[in-house]
Amino acid sequence: MELVSHPDMARLHPTGDHPESQERLSVLLDSFEFREAQPAREEDVLRCHDREQVDLIRRIDRPAMIGLDTVASETTYEAAMLAAGATIEATRSEDFALVRPPGHHATSDEAMGFCIFNNVAIGARYAQADLGVERVAILDWDVHHGNGTEAIFRNDPSVLYVSLHQWPFYPGTGGPDDQGETLVNVPLPAGSTDEDYLRAWDDHVEPAVRRFDPELLLVSGGFDAHEEDPIAEMLVTEAGFRELARRSATLAPRIAAVLEGGYNVETLPGLVAGALSGFNS
């Protein structure tokens, strides 16, 4: 597994002192070699998002808040299309997309939770439409529940969504009763450690993915469950993320990943390096 990104994502979509900052990507691109991706096609994004939502983002011509927590400006559409495009390229080549803005909170008709377009969902639909993949599993270990990904695929038996996340926590979804035939939420309490995550893996994650038997596994790789992340309360270590990635790589014949959260710019490069090592072990 190699890295896919684009330097413009560290320049576009300025957010000031918002946690989802340009520096998140600039520190990663300074730390790793990567292959440059192209922007997504509009048709790729429209497989997951309403036309009205795409047009709304495209028309933004000045700094603005989208809802209570998400910053946007005249370059947000361009950045979001690059993020989706890098995810598509990583899906095609079975690599790891380093992107911003992140995606897993974005629903078909709403940008929220720092997310504009749902990158991992766009990657999954691309795999089904253009790569001939029928069964896709999405594994999300971001500290927040990916409500947007869940909503996009809730009634789709061809896509399994499994999420490990802090609960109760933003965005308030993904509780213990929120389950389905192809939906597995694994809510964990604040203060959960590597051992807690790996126990949940053994009890819930691996059995669900094995039963589903996907042709492709896409990982929503958020690193905000790290013990030094400023916006959450989990205690996962670099070694824990390496082990999550190593185990993920055993679950399907094809695997790709996309960056979600992770807001400590001092620790983020090491966490990505650890995950990359796990994917490639």
Side-chain angles (χ1 to χ4, degrees), residues 50-266:
D50 297 347
R51 162 65 68 182
E52 293 79 6
Q53 177 64 13
V54 174
D55 289 345
L56 173 67
I57 302 302
R58 184 194 292 108
R59 288 196 302 265
I60 295 172
D61 61 1
R62 68 194 68 183
M65 293 296 296
I66 304 178
L68 298 176
D69 54 19
T70 305
V71 177
S73 69
E74 63 275 11
T75 62
T76 293
Y77 176 80
E78 185 179 354
M81 294 299 280
L82 279 171
T87 306
I88 286 170
E89 172 60 19
T91 300
R92 185 194 64 78
S93 57
E94 299 176 48
D95 288 324
F96 190 165
L98 301 181
V99 306
R100 64 174 294 272
H104 72 153
H105 293 306
T107 67
S108 61
D109 61 357
E110 184 179 10
M112 61 177 291
F114 315 167
C115 302
I116 304 300
F117 299 144
N118 195 308
N119 302 311
V120 76
I122 291 166
R125 288 295 189 224
Y126 167 81
Q128 292 179 319
D130 287 35
L131 301 181
V133 173
E134 294 183 3
R135 298 170 66 80
V136 180
I138 297 172
L139 172 59
D140 190 335
W141 69 52
D142 189 277
V143 79
H144 303 98
H145 177 243
N147 59 297
T149 309
E150 176 181 308
I152 289 170
F153 296 114
R154 176 176 284 278
N155 297 312
D156 186 344
S158 72
V159 178
L160 171 70
Y161 180 63
V162 181
S163 178
L164 289 157
H165 52 270
Q166 182 176 330
W167 191 87
F169 202 39
Y170 181 91
T173 53
D177 298 327
D178 186 8
Q179 311 290 340
E181 288 295 318
T182 52
L183 170 63
V184 179
N185 282 308
V186 188
L188 297 169
S192 292
T193 64
D194 293 353
E195 291 73 20
D196 297 316
Y197 270 73
L198 297 180
R199 187 179 308 111
W201 183 283
D202 291 338
D203 291 346
H204 303 286
V205 176
E206 183 163 357
V209 178
R210 296 288 184 200
R211 284 194 302 270
F212 185 73
D213 193 24
E215 299 160 69
L216 168 68
L217 176 73
L218 297 178
V219 175
S220 271
F223 295 94
D224 37 7
H226 185 248
E227 58 188 350
E228 296 180 32
D229 195 89
I231 70 169
E233 302 165 298
M234 296 305 223
L235 300 175
V236 180
T237 68
E238 181 179 321
F241 285 114
R242 183 182 300 111
E243 181 63 11
L244 288 174
R246 187 193 68 79
R247 293 185 180 205
S248 297
T250 70
L251 293 180
R254 303 167 71 174
I255 182 171
V258 57
L259 180 66
E260 296 285 358
Y263 302 100
N264 184 331
V265 296
E266 294 182 0

